[in-house]
Protein backbone atom coordinates (compact mmCIF):
# COMPACT_ATOMS: atom_id res chain seq x y z
CA UNK A 1 0.00 0.00 0.00
CA UNK A 2 1.36 3.41 -0.99
CA UNK A 3 0.28 7.03 -0.60
CA UNK A 4 2.10 9.37 -2.96
CA UNK A 5 2.04 13.15 -2.61
CA UNK A 6 3.05 15.91 -5.03
CA UNK A 7 2.44 19.63 -5.57
CA UNK A 8 0.54 20.87 -8.65
CA UNK A 9 0.19 24.68 -8.77
CA UNK A 10 -1.76 25.60 -5.62
CA UNK A 11 -3.18 22.10 -5.10
CA UNK A 12 -1.68 19.07 -3.45
CA UNK A 13 -2.20 15.88 -5.43
CA UNK A 14 -2.39 12.67 -3.39
CA UNK A 15 -2.53 9.24 -5.00
CA UNK A 16 -3.78 6.40 -2.81
CA UNK A 17 -2.98 3.04 -4.34
CA UNK A 18 -5.30 0.02 -3.91
CA UNK A 19 -5.18 -2.44 -0.99
CA UNK A 20 -5.27 0.41 1.53
CA UNK A 21 -6.26 -1.27 4.83
CA UNK A 22 -9.01 1.26 5.56
CA UNK A 23 -10.91 0.57 2.33
CA UNK A 24 -13.04 -2.48 1.57
CA UNK A 25 -11.74 -4.20 -1.57
CA UNK A 26 -9.43 -2.90 -4.27
CA UNK A 27 -9.92 0.84 -4.60
CA UNK A 28 -7.47 3.56 -5.48
CA UNK A 29 -7.96 7.33 -5.36
CA UNK A 30 -6.46 10.37 -7.01
CA UNK A 31 -7.19 13.29 -4.68
CA UNK A 32 -6.47 17.01 -5.10
CA UNK A 33 -6.45 19.16 -1.96
CA UNK A 34 -6.74 22.94 -1.76
CA UNK A 35 -6.44 24.55 1.67
CA UNK A 36 -6.94 21.15 3.29
CA UNK A 37 -10.22 20.49 1.44
CA UNK A 38 -10.81 18.02 -1.39
CA UNK A 39 -11.26 19.94 -4.64
CA UNK A 40 -11.23 16.90 -6.92
CA UNK A 41 -11.65 13.19 -6.24
CA UNK A 42 -11.21 10.48 -8.85
CA UNK A 43 -11.79 6.85 -7.81
CA UNK A 44 -9.59 4.36 -9.62
CA UNK A 45 -11.03 0.89 -10.15
CA UNK A 46 -10.48 -2.02 -12.50
CA UNK A 47 -8.03 -3.91 -10.28
CA UNK A 48 -10.48 -6.75 -9.65
CA UNK A 49 -12.22 -6.98 -13.02
CA UNK A 50 -13.17 -10.58 -13.83
CA UNK A 51 -15.20 -10.12 -17.03
CA UNK A 52 -18.24 -11.76 -15.46
CA UNK A 53 -20.66 -10.68 -18.20
CA UNK A 54 -18.37 -11.85 -21.00
CA UNK A 55 -17.84 -15.16 -19.20
CA UNK A 56 -21.59 -15.85 -19.37
CA UNK A 57 -21.68 -16.16 -23.16
CA UNK A 58 -22.15 -19.66 -24.58
CA UNK A 59 -22.45 -21.21 -21.13
CA UNK A 60 -25.41 -23.27 -20.01
CA UNK A 61 -27.46 -21.57 -17.33
CA UNK A 62 -26.32 -24.17 -14.78
CA UNK A 63 -22.65 -23.48 -15.52
CA UNK A 64 -22.93 -19.74 -14.95
CA UNK A 65 -24.53 -19.84 -11.49
CA UNK A 66 -21.18 -20.07 -9.61
CA UNK A 67 -19.96 -17.00 -11.55
CA UNK A 68 -23.11 -15.02 -10.67
CA UNK A 69 -22.71 -15.77 -6.97
CA UNK A 70 -19.21 -14.29 -7.00
CA UNK A 71 -20.10 -10.87 -8.41
CA UNK A 72 -20.34 -9.25 -4.98
CA UNK A 73 -20.16 -9.99 -1.28
CA UNK A 74 -23.97 -10.24 -0.99
CA UNK A 75 -23.97 -13.80 -2.30
CA UNK A 76 -27.60 -14.73 -1.64
CA UNK A 77 -28.91 -11.61 -3.36
CA UNK A 78 -26.90 -12.25 -6.52
CA UNK A 79 -27.88 -15.89 -6.45
CA UNK A 80 -31.56 -14.98 -6.19
CA UNK A 81 -31.29 -12.30 -8.88
CA UNK A 82 -29.86 -14.80 -11.35
CA UNK A 83 -32.21 -17.66 -10.42
CA UNK A 84 -35.22 -15.33 -10.55
CA UNK A 85 -34.42 -14.27 -14.13
CA UNK A 86 -34.08 -17.91 -15.16
CA UNK A 87 -37.39 -18.79 -13.53
CA UNK A 88 -39.10 -16.03 -15.49
CA UNK A 89 -37.62 -17.28 -18.78
CA UNK A 90 -38.50 -20.90 -18.07
CA UNK A 91 -41.87 -20.02 -16.49
CA UNK A 92 -41.08 -21.85 -13.26
CA UNK A 93 -42.98 -20.81 -10.14
CA UNK A 94 -41.02 -21.41 -6.90
CA UNK A 95 -42.87 -23.23 -4.13
CA UNK A 96 -44.48 -21.12 -1.41
CA UNK A 97 -42.20 -22.67 1.21
CA UNK A 98 -39.15 -21.75 -0.90
CA UNK A 99 -40.36 -18.16 -1.24
CA UNK A 100 -40.62 -17.73 2.53
CA UNK A 101 -37.26 -19.47 3.01
CA UNK A 102 -35.63 -17.17 0.44
CA UNK A 103 -37.02 -14.07 2.15
CA UNK A 104 -35.89 -15.39 5.53
CA UNK A 105 -32.32 -16.08 4.42
CA UNK A 106 -32.01 -12.86 2.41
CA UNK A 107 -33.20 -10.74 5.33
CA UNK A 108 -30.69 -12.47 7.61
CA UNK A 109 -28.04 -11.68 5.00
CA UNK A 110 -29.26 -8.06 4.87
CA UNK A 111 -28.74 -7.73 8.63
CA UNK A 112 -25.28 -9.27 8.29
CA UNK A 113 -24.35 -6.78 5.56
CA UNK A 114 -25.66 -3.75 7.48
CA UNK A 115 -23.94 -4.86 10.69
CA UNK A 116 -20.71 -5.23 8.73
CA UNK A 117 -21.01 -1.70 7.31
CA UNK A 118 -21.90 -0.17 10.68
CA UNK A 119 -18.97 -2.04 12.21
CA UNK A 120 -16.48 -0.73 9.65
CA UNK A 121 -17.50 2.86 10.43
CA UNK A 122 -17.56 2.30 14.19
CA UNK A 123 -14.12 0.68 14.17
CA UNK A 124 -12.64 3.92 12.85
CA UNK A 125 -13.78 6.02 15.80
CA UNK A 126 -15.19 3.80 18.59
CA UNK A 127 -13.46 1.82 21.34
CA UNK A 128 -12.49 -1.82 20.86
CA UNK A 129 -15.34 -3.08 23.04
CA UNK A 130 -17.86 -2.06 20.38
CA UNK A 131 -15.83 -3.81 17.72
CA UNK A 132 -16.08 -7.11 19.58
CA UNK A 133 -19.82 -6.71 20.21
CA UNK A 134 -20.47 -6.18 16.49
CA UNK A 135 -18.25 -9.09 15.50
CA UNK A 136 -20.15 -11.34 17.91
CA UNK A 137 -23.46 -10.45 16.18
CA UNK A 138 -21.90 -11.07 12.76
CA UNK A 139 -20.62 -14.50 13.78
CA UNK A 140 -24.06 -15.49 15.09
CA UNK A 141 -25.72 -14.64 11.75
CA UNK A 142 -22.93 -16.25 9.76
CA UNK A 143 -23.23 -19.45 11.78
CA UNK A 144 -26.99 -19.60 11.11
CA UNK A 145 -26.65 -18.99 7.37
CA UNK A 146 -23.79 -21.47 7.08
CA UNK A 147 -25.89 -24.17 8.73
CA UNK A 148 -28.95 -23.44 6.60
CA UNK A 149 -27.08 -23.42 3.28
CA UNK A 150 -24.60 -26.18 4.25
CA UNK A 151 -21.86 -24.06 2.72
CA UNK A 152 -19.41 -21.67 4.43
CA UNK A 153 -19.73 -19.26 1.49
CA UNK A 154 -23.56 -19.56 1.31
CA UNK A 155 -23.45 -20.54 -2.36
CA UNK A 156 -25.70 -22.89 -4.30
CA UNK A 157 -28.63 -22.69 -1.86
CA UNK A 158 -31.19 -21.30 -4.31
CA UNK A 159 -32.15 -23.66 -7.12
CA UNK A 160 -34.72 -23.45 -9.91
CA UNK A 161 -38.16 -23.56 -8.35
CA UNK A 162 -37.01 -23.71 -4.76
CA UNK A 163 -34.12 -24.14 -2.37
CA UNK A 164 -31.55 -26.88 -1.92
CA UNK A 165 -32.89 -28.09 1.41
CA UNK A 166 -35.60 -27.18 3.90
CA UNK A 167 -34.74 -25.23 7.04
CA UNK A 168 -34.42 -27.66 9.94
CA UNK A 169 -36.22 -27.17 13.24
CA UNK A 170 -32.82 -26.77 14.91
CA UNK A 171 -31.98 -23.83 12.65
CA UNK A 172 -35.43 -22.33 13.19
CA UNK A 173 -34.79 -22.45 16.95
CA UNK A 174 -31.41 -20.72 16.44
CA UNK A 175 -33.05 -17.97 14.37
CA UNK A 176 -35.78 -17.48 16.98
CA UNK A 177 -33.19 -17.31 19.74
CA UNK A 178 -31.13 -14.80 17.76
CA UNK A 179 -34.20 -12.67 16.99
CA UNK A 180 -35.47 -12.72 20.59
CA UNK A 181 -32.12 -11.69 22.05
CA UNK A 182 -30.99 -9.33 19.31
CA UNK A 183 -33.10 -6.32 20.28
CA UNK A 184 -31.95 -6.48 23.90
CA UNK A 185 -28.27 -7.05 23.06
CA UNK A 186 -28.11 -4.55 20.22
CA UNK A 187 -29.85 -1.83 22.25
CA UNK A 188 -26.74 -1.40 24.40
CA UNK A 189 -24.58 -1.13 21.29
CA UNK A 190 -27.01 1.34 19.72
CA UNK A 191 -27.01 3.50 22.85
CA UNK A 192 -23.22 3.54 22.80
CA UNK A 193 -23.30 4.76 19.19
CA UNK A 194 -25.78 7.52 19.97
CA UNK A 195 -23.86 8.72 23.05
CA UNK A 196 -20.36 8.55 21.60
CA UNK A 197 -19.37 12.18 20.87
CA UNK A 198 -16.31 11.15 18.84
CA UNK A 199 -18.35 8.98 16.51
CA UNK A 200 -21.17 11.53 16.14
CA UNK A 201 -18.74 14.35 15.40
CA UNK A 202 -17.01 12.18 12.79
CA UNK A 203 -20.11 11.18 10.81
CA UNK A 204 -22.52 14.11 11.19
CA UNK A 205 -22.72 16.83 8.53
CA UNK A 206 -20.22 15.25 6.15
CA UNK A 207 -20.64 13.38 2.87
CA UNK A 208 -23.84 15.13 1.83
CA UNK A 209 -25.80 13.53 -1.00
CA UNK A 210 -29.01 15.33 -1.94
CA UNK A 211 -31.95 13.76 -3.75
CA UNK A 212 -31.17 15.41 -7.09
CA UNK A 213 -27.58 14.17 -7.24
CA UNK A 214 -28.65 10.74 -5.99
CA UNK A 215 -31.14 10.43 -8.86
CA UNK A 216 -28.71 11.81 -11.46
CA UNK A 217 -26.18 9.15 -10.48
CA UNK A 218 -28.82 6.37 -10.29
CA UNK A 219 -28.21 5.77 -6.58
CA UNK A 220 -30.56 3.26 -4.95
CA UNK A 221 -31.02 1.49 -1.62
CA UNK A 222 -30.12 3.03 1.74
CA UNK A 223 -27.98 5.72 0.08
CA UNK A 224 -31.04 7.01 -1.80
CA UNK A 225 -33.49 6.65 1.08
CA UNK A 226 -31.09 8.57 3.36
CA UNK A 227 -31.41 11.45 0.89
CA UNK A 228 -35.17 11.67 1.31
CA UNK A 229 -36.64 9.45 -1.43
CA UNK A 230 -38.50 6.41 -0.13
CA UNK A 231 -37.85 3.90 -2.93
CA UNK A 232 -37.56 0.20 -2.11
CA UNK A 233 -38.08 -2.41 -4.83
CA UNK A 234 -39.51 -4.87 -2.32
CA UNK A 235 -42.45 -2.43 -2.28
CA UNK A 236 -42.12 -0.87 -5.75
CA UNK A 237 -41.98 -4.14 -7.73
CA UNK A 238 -42.86 -6.81 -5.13
CA UNK A 239 -41.28 -10.23 -5.57
CA UNK A 240 -41.44 -13.51 -3.66
CA UNK A 241 -43.92 -13.00 -0.78
CA UNK A 242 -42.96 -9.45 0.20
CA UNK A 243 -46.41 -8.14 -0.79
CA UNK A 244 -47.92 -10.51 1.80
CA UNK A 245 -45.62 -9.37 4.60
CA UNK A 246 -45.92 -6.32 6.80
CA UNK A 247 -42.90 -4.03 6.94
CA UNK A 248 -42.04 -0.36 6.76
CA UNK A 249 -39.24 1.24 4.78
CA UNK A 250 -37.40 3.80 6.95
CA UNK A 251 -36.33 7.08 5.36
CA UNK A 252 -34.05 9.96 6.36
CA UNK A 253 -33.69 13.42 4.84
CA UNK A 254 -30.30 14.92 5.68
CA UNK A 255 -28.31 12.80 3.21
CA UNK A 256 -25.13 12.79 5.31
CA UNK A 257 -23.05 9.90 6.69
CA UNK A 258 -25.01 9.97 9.95
CA UNK A 259 -28.32 9.51 8.09
CA UNK A 260 -26.95 6.50 6.21
CA UNK A 261 -25.53 5.09 9.45
CA UNK A 262 -28.79 5.41 11.42
CA UNK A 263 -30.90 4.22 8.49
CA UNK A 264 -29.02 0.92 8.38
CA UNK A 265 -29.80 0.43 12.07
CA UNK A 266 -33.50 1.08 11.34
CA UNK A 267 -33.44 -1.35 8.41
CA UNK A 268 -32.01 -4.05 10.66
CA UNK A 269 -35.10 -3.71 12.86
CA UNK A 270 -37.39 -3.91 9.81
CA UNK A 271 -35.58 -7.05 8.61
CA UNK A 272 -36.03 -8.66 12.04
CA UNK A 273 -39.77 -8.05 11.77
CA UNK A 274 -39.80 -9.75 8.35
CA UNK A 275 -37.78 -12.69 9.69
CA UNK A 276 -40.24 -13.22 12.55
CA UNK A 277 -43.16 -13.29 10.10
CA UNK A 278 -41.39 -15.86 7.93
CA UNK A 279 -40.66 -18.04 10.96
CA UNK A 280 -44.31 -17.89 12.04
CA UNK A 281 -45.46 -18.99 8.57
CA UNK A 282 -42.93 -21.84 8.38
CA UNK A 283 -43.88 -23.12 11.85
CA UNK A 284 -47.61 -23.11 11.01
CA UNK A 285 -47.08 -24.77 7.63
CA UNK A 286 -44.95 -27.75 8.58
CA UNK A 287 -46.55 -29.94 5.92
CA UNK A 288 -45.85 -27.43 3.16
CA UNK A 289 -42.24 -28.42 2.61
CA UNK A 290 -39.85 -27.54 -0.16
CA UNK A 291 -40.46 -30.14 -2.87
CA UNK A 292 -38.88 -29.39 -6.21
CA UNK A 293 -39.20 -31.98 -8.95
CA UNK A 294 -37.82 -30.26 -12.01
CA UNK A 295 -36.04 -32.30 -14.65
CA UNK A 296 -33.65 -29.83 -16.27
CA UNK A 297 -33.50 -31.83 -19.50
CA UNK A 298 -37.28 -31.42 -19.90
CA UNK A 299 -37.28 -27.68 -19.33
CA UNK A 300 -37.47 -25.56 -22.47
CA UNK A 301 -37.31 -21.74 -22.60
CA UNK A 302 -40.77 -20.23 -23.09
CA UNK A 303 -39.36 -16.77 -23.79
CA UNK A 304 -35.88 -15.55 -24.64
CA UNK A 305 -35.27 -12.62 -22.29
CA UNK A 306 -36.19 -11.70 -18.72
CA UNK A 307 -35.11 -9.16 -16.10
CA UNK A 308 -35.21 -9.49 -12.33
CA UNK A 309 -35.17 -6.71 -9.73
CA UNK A 310 -33.68 -7.39 -6.29
CA UNK A 311 -33.37 -4.96 -3.38
CA UNK A 312 -29.97 -5.82 -1.92
CA UNK A 313 -28.40 -4.21 1.19
CA UNK A 314 -26.39 -1.92 -1.10
CA UNK A 315 -29.21 -1.06 -3.49
CA UNK A 316 -30.91 -2.35 -6.62
CA UNK A 317 -29.52 -5.39 -8.43
CA UNK A 318 -30.88 -6.00 -11.93
CA UNK A 319 -30.11 -9.13 -13.91
CA UNK A 320 -31.12 -9.33 -17.57
CA UNK A 321 -30.60 -12.70 -19.26
CA UNK A 322 -31.12 -13.91 -22.81
CA UNK A 323 -31.30 -17.66 -23.35
CA UNK A 324 -31.26 -19.54 -26.64
CA UNK A 325 -33.04 -22.79 -27.54
CA UNK A 326 -30.00 -24.82 -26.46
CA UNK A 327 -30.35 -23.41 -22.92
CA UNK A 328 -27.17 -21.40 -23.35
CA UNK A 329 -26.73 -17.80 -22.32
CA UNK A 330 -26.48 -15.43 -25.26
CA UNK A 331 -26.39 -12.35 -23.07
CA UNK A 332 -26.10 -11.50 -19.37
CA UNK A 333 -26.18 -7.93 -18.13
CA UNK A 334 -25.96 -6.85 -14.49
CA UNK A 335 -26.82 -3.62 -12.76
CA UNK A 336 -24.84 -3.47 -9.53
CA UNK A 337 -25.44 -0.70 -6.95
CA UNK A 338 -21.77 -0.10 -6.10
CA UNK A 339 -21.03 0.74 -9.75
CA UNK A 340 -23.07 3.93 -9.28
CA UNK A 341 -22.09 4.60 -5.66
CA UNK A 342 -18.44 4.78 -6.72
CA UNK A 343 -19.20 7.39 -9.38
CA UNK A 344 -21.08 9.68 -6.99
CA UNK A 345 -17.95 9.96 -4.82
CA UNK A 346 -16.70 12.72 -7.10
CA UNK A 347 -19.63 14.84 -5.88
CA UNK A 348 -19.92 13.66 -2.28
CA UNK A 349 -16.22 14.09 -1.43
CA UNK A 350 -15.98 17.73 -2.55
CA UNK A 351 -15.09 20.15 0.26
CA UNK A 352 -14.44 17.26 2.64
CA UNK A 353 -11.14 16.67 4.41
CA UNK A 354 -8.83 13.75 3.79
CA UNK A 355 -9.80 12.35 7.21
CA UNK A 356 -13.42 12.20 6.06
CA UNK A 357 -12.60 10.16 2.94
CA UNK A 358 -12.67 6.71 4.58
CA UNK A 359 -15.83 7.45 6.60
CA UNK A 360 -17.72 8.68 3.52
CA UNK A 361 -16.52 5.75 1.41
CA UNK A 362 -17.70 3.23 4.02
CA UNK A 363 -20.98 5.05 4.66
CA UNK A 364 -21.91 4.46 0.99
CA UNK A 365 -21.22 0.73 1.52
CA UNK A 366 -19.18 0.34 -1.66
CA UNK A 367 -18.08 -3.12 -2.79
CA UNK A 368 -15.34 -2.53 -5.37
CA UNK A 369 -15.54 -6.07 -6.75
CA UNK A 370 -19.23 -5.48 -7.40
CA UNK A 371 -18.37 -2.25 -9.22
CA UNK A 372 -15.67 -3.90 -11.36
CA UNK A 373 -17.58 -7.08 -12.21
Amino acid sequence: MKIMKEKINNATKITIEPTHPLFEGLAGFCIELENGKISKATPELGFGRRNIEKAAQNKSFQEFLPFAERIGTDVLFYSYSYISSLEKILEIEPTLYAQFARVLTMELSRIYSHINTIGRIAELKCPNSLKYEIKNIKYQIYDILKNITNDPNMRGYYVLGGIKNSISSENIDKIKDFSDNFSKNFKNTENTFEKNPILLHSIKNIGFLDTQNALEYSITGVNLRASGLNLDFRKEIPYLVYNNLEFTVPTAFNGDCYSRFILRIDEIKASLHLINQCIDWILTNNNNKNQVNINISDVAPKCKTATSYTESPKGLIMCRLTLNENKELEYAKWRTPSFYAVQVLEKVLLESTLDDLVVIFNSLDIDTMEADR
Side-chain angles (χ1 to χ4, degrees):
M1 179 271 293
K2 293 181 180 178
I3 298 180
M4 294 179 287
K5 183 177 177 181
E6 60 179 303
K7 281 280 188 180
I8 300 177
N9 298 327
N10 294 326
T12 302
K13 181 179 178 182
I14 297 176
T15 302
I16 303 174
E17 293 192 355
T19 69
H20 192 290
L22 294 178
F23 294 110
E24 187 82 358
L26 298 171
F29 284 91
C30 185
I31 305 291
E32 290 186 15
L33 294 174
E34 290 185 10
N35 300 320
K37 299 286 187 179
I38 296 175
S39 58
K40 185 178 180 181
T42 307
E44 297 180 347
L45 298 175
F47 305 102
R49 184 162 176 79
R50 294 157 292 166
N51 297 311
I52 289 289
E53 291 167 344
K54 181 67 177 175
Q57 294 179 9
N58 302 320
K59 279 188 170 60
S60 69
F61 59 78
Q62 301 103 309
E63 287 180 309
F64 185 66
L65 178 59
F67 289 83
E69 293 177 323
R70 287 168 171 80
I71 291 177
T73 54
D74 299 319
V75 174
L76 290 175
F77 292 91
Y78 279 100
S79 178
Y80 170 74
S81 183
Y82 179 69
I83 289 291
S84 177
S85 287
L86 284 177
E87 288 172 342
K88 289 180 180 180
I89 292 174
L90 303 172
E91 294 186 355
I92 296 172
E93 181 70 22
T95 65
L96 195 57
Y97 181 94
Q99 292 187 51
F100 275 96
R102 287 177 180 181
V103 171
L104 174 60
T105 50
M106 281 197 284
E107 292 306 319
L108 277 170
S109 183
R110 191 185 308 277
I111 294 175
Y112 181 89
S113 179
H114 284 338
I115 286 288
N116 189 47
T117 304
I118 291 167
R120 288 203 308 268
I121 298 171
E123 280 182 25
L124 297 171
K125 305 295 179 182
C126 289
N128 286 334
S129 59
L130 271 179
K131 178 170 70 175
Y132 295 126
E133 288 178 23
I134 289 172
K135 282 188 175 181
N136 182 47
I137 296 171
K138 282 173 55 181
Y139 289 146
Q140 288 181 55
I141 303 172
Y142 172 77
D143 185 58
I144 292 170
L145 288 172
K146 182 184 69 173
N147 290 334
I148 291 174
T149 60
N150 288 327
D151 186 272
N153 297 312
M154 293 168 277
R155 293 173 182 150
Y157 185 60
Y158 300 152
V159 297
L160 284 175
I163 52 178
K164 187 167 62 177
N165 52 265
S166 300
I167 302 175
S168 67
S169 57
E170 180 184 351
N171 284 322
I172 289 290
D173 290 339
K174 284 184 178 180
I175 298 169
K176 286 181 65 179
D177 184 59
F178 169 78
S179 178
D180 293 342
N181 294 320
F182 180 86
S183 299
K184 179 181 66 176
N185 295 337
F186 190 66
K187 188 65 180 175
N188 297 329
T189 305
E190 190 179 352
N191 288 337
T192 307
F193 287 148
E194 294 174 352
K195 295 176 182 178
N196 188 307
I198 299 175
L199 175 66
L200 295 179
H201 178 74
S202 302
I203 64 177
K204 275 190 173 181
N205 300 319
I206 64 167
F208 284 102
L209 176 62
D210 59 36
T211 308
Q212 182 179 348
N213 280 325
L215 290 174
E216 286 178 358
Y217 281 82
S218 298
I219 300 300
T220 54
V222 173
N223 297 331
L224 176 62
R225 293 191 286 275
S227 299
L229 186 58
N230 191 331
L231 178 65
D232 188 313
F233 282 84
R234 293 173 295 176
K235 294 273 192 183
E236 192 72 17
I237 307 177
Y239 52 93
L240 295 174
V241 290
Y242 278 111
N243 56 345
N244 296 325
L245 298 172
E246 178 187 324
F247 68 103
T248 58
V249 179
T251 310
F253 298 93
N254 289 337
D256 61 348
C257 290
Y258 177 76
S259 296
R260 294 188 283 272
F261 184 87
I262 292 299
L263 209 55
R264 286 188 170 87
I265 293 176
D266 292 339
E267 287 214 347
I268 287 171
K269 298 171 184 176
S271 291
L272 275 174
H273 185 49
L274 283 166
I275 288 167
N276 289 331
Q277 292 176 74
C278 290
I279 290 173
D280 291 341
W281 186 92
I282 290 172
L283 289 175
T284 55
N285 291 269
N286 289 326
N287 297 326
N288 192 347
K289 290 293 184 182
N290 175 58
Q291 295 178 355
V292 182
N293 298 310
I294 297 174
N295 190 342
I296 299 298
S297 60
D298 294 336
V299 174
K302 302 294 192 303
C303 62
K304 289 196 68 177
T305 303
T307 305
S308 65
Y309 302 83
T310 307
E311 184 73 29
S312 81
K314 296 175 175 58
L316 174 64
I317 297 174
M318 288 174 58
C319 175
R320 184 171 179 83
L321 301 178
T322 299
L323 223 61
N324 62 24
E325 294 177 356
N326 296 323
K327 303 173 192 174
E328 291 180 342
L329 291 167
E330 289 183 353
Y331 177 84
K333 180 64 178 176
W334 294 85
R335 183 223 189 265
T336 59
S338 292
F339 179 80
Y340 301 92
V342 164
Q343 296 179 62
V344 83
L345 281 171
E346 64 182 12
K347 286 276 189 182
V348 176
L349 288 174
L350 292 180
E351 297 303 314
S352 300
T353 65
L354 199 58
D355 288 340
D356 296 334
L357 170 61
V358 179
V359 175
I360 295 171
F361 181 89
N362 284 302
S363 77
L364 290 168
D365 196 11
I366 294 172
D367 179 359
T368 56
M369 300 301 286
E370 185 182 271
D372 281 341
R373 293 200 295 281

